Amino acid sequence: GAGVSQSPSNKVTEKGKDVELRCDPISGHTALYWYRQSLGQGLEFLIYFQGNSAPDKSGLPSDRFSAERTGGSVSTLTIQRTQQEDSAVYLCASSSPGARNEQFFGPGTRLTVL
Amino acid sequence: QQQVKQSPQSLIVQKGGISIINCAYENTAFDYFPWYQQFPGKGPALLIAIRPDVSEKKEGRFTISFNKSAKQFSLHIMDSQPGDSATYFCAARSNDYKLSFGAGTTVTVRA
């Protein structure tokens, strides 16, 4: 079956512009996560959605970052007024509640802010 | 602050050798410790995981050793192969969903 998909795979933008990154989770997965992976760093948790519950936004680094999940499926991460330090790979993962609640990751969107 | 500390940052091993990656944590609320493998241009994929009620778990050539009292765990890759060349991340999870990742170890297996 299809895994987690993300688009675009690469995004180059100019400082100050807004960007939207999209994630399509695995069908039937109720949980969705966004992470940021900077060069040489581990994955940094950004936000978590679970069903209709209020999202856990505790990892968002500033109010320029926001995310939505429509209809319990597709999610969009929006970064407003991008800065050079926002350059990173943004990874999305989804999971289904179960014994391990294993998170399945998409291939990521590489964002470069010039 | 990084809740899971991982070392080394990189390692090179000969084909057939053993790769060892170490991780340490402080938060005793962590109750699930997965390892992820990531190839260039791909997202991380779950490799093997352990819960703190066991001291060792083996799956094929990959073994996790877990020391609860020392709050340390490690990944051993036995008989390392060139196809194992990747970046490996340890992680720890509490409250059923939030993963805290180590900084990653880039493993290069020389043929």
Side-chain angles (χ1 to χ4, degrees):
Chain A
V4 177
S5 61
Q6 293 186 244
S7 60
S9 55
N10 281 284
K11 176 72 177 179
V12 180
T13 191
E14 293 179 348
K15 177 181 172 181
K17 301 283 190 183
D18 298 352
V19 295
E20 287 189 351
L21 313 180
R22 178 186 167 107
C23 172
D24 282 86
I26 293 172
S27 177
H29 279 191
T30 58
L32 187 147
Y33 316 74
W34 283 97
Y35 293 88
R36 179 168 67 175
Q37 184 175 24
S38 301
L39 189 64
Q41 303 291 317
L43 282 70
E44 173 190 6
F45 168 82
L46 296 178
I47 189 169
Y48 162 72
F49 296 91
Q50 172 58 274
N52 294 322
S53 302
D56 177 352
K57 303 180 182 180
S58 61
L60 294 179
S62 79
D63 59 8
R64 296 186 296 105
F65 288 72
S66 62
E68 290 185 341
R69 189 177 185 194
T70 54
S73 181
V74 171
S75 177
T76 302
L77 177 69
T78 301
I79 309 173
Q80 295 179 310
R81 304 181 303 280
T82 52
Q83 303 295 312
Q84 289 184 330
E85 61 262 29
D86 299 335
S87 296
V89 176
Y90 289 82
L91 290 158
C92 174
S94 70
S95 71
S96 180
R100 292 199 306 186
N101 204 12
E102 177 184 346
Q103 295 182 26
F104 293 85
F105 284 83
T109 293
R110 180 174 296 279
L111 174 67
T112 303
V113 183
L114 301 177
Chain B
Q1 71 284 14
Q2 198 141 41
Q3 294 199 54
V4 180
K5 290 182 170 31
Q6 183 172 347
S7 63
Q9 188 175 19
S10 63
L11 67 88
I12 299 172
V13 64
Q14 292 295 121
K15 179 181 175 183
I18 302 174
S19 304
I20 302 174
I21 306 170
N22 299 300
C23 288
Y25 65 96
E26 288 297 326
N27 187 350
T28 55
F30 288 142
D31 61 1
Y32 176 69
F33 300 87
W35 285 88
Y36 284 82
Q37 180 187 55
Q38 186 178 30
F39 294 104
K42 305 289 187 183
L46 180 67
L47 185 64
I48 186 173
I50 197 168
R51 293 197 180 274
D53 52 347
V54 298
S55 59
E56 185 174 283
K57 183 173 181 180
K58 183 176 180 179
E59 288 186 2
R61 296 183 293 105
F62 300 89
T63 299
I64 300 178
S65 296
F66 189 86
N67 185 329
K68 187 175 181 178
S69 61
K71 291 184 282 189
Q72 296 175 346
F73 58 112
S74 61
L75 176 70
H76 295 230
I77 307 173
M78 313 299 287
D79 186 25
S80 297
Q81 300 297 311
D84 298 332
S85 297
T87 300
Y88 293 82
F89 294 94
C90 61
R93 192 181 75 193
S94 62
N95 64 22
D96 205 37
Y97 64 87
K98 189 180 290 187
L99 284 170
S100 297
F101 284 84
T105 297
T106 300
V107 174
T108 303
V109 182
R110 295 264 165 86

